[in-house]
Amino acid sequence: MLVESIVFALVGLATGGAAVLALPSYFRAARPMTLGTALAAALVGGAVAHFSLDGRYPAVSIAAAALASGVLTSLLARPDLAAGLAPAHRHHPHRPGTHRTQRRHRAA
């Protein structure tokens, strides 16, 4: 299990590093947060796969570690901010003539 844990950690660091290097504009979070998420996901995903498969298939455990690392690292990606544009649902300018206390929704 020690060798597998080292391989899981290397897979996690490789996944996080590849994500940060390949798409730096998608990962606006701190680089250590992205790498740490990938590392932790690979270790936990690999350990769960190892124990659920009773250690019989180490290649499957490594593949599960890579999958878990990729999926959880992708949650940090922000493609909507990659072009430098704010999401469409935020920060709308106020229309002239409207007052903040007015109701914007129809009465039920």
Side-chain angles (χ1 to χ4, degrees):
M1 179 69 185
L2 178 65
V3 174
E4 282 183 342
S5 297
I6 293 171
V7 172
F8 297 155
L10 291 175
V11 165
L13 289 174
T15 303
V20 168
L21 290 175
L23 300 167
S25 62
Y26 278 31
F27 293 95
R28 297 287 181 144
R31 304 297 189 234
M33 181 176 159
T34 303
L35 292 174
T37 300
L39 176 64
L43 288 172
V44 171
V48 167
H50 174 80
F51 289 117
S52 64
L53 296 172
D54 203 23
R56 293 184 194 151
Y57 305 104
V60 175
S61 298
I62 293 169
L67 180 69
S69 180
V71 167
L72 287 180
T73 303
S74 72
L75 293 177
L76 298 176
R78 294 292 309 266
D80 57 336
L81 297 179
L85 302 174
H89 65 278
R90 295 185 186 187
H91 307 293
H92 288 291
H94 295 287
R95 292 184 208 121
T98 59
H99 193 269
R100 289 193 109 148
T101 59
Q102 290 178 338
R103 291 185 79 164
R104 294 187 180 191
H105 303 286
R106 290 189 296 174

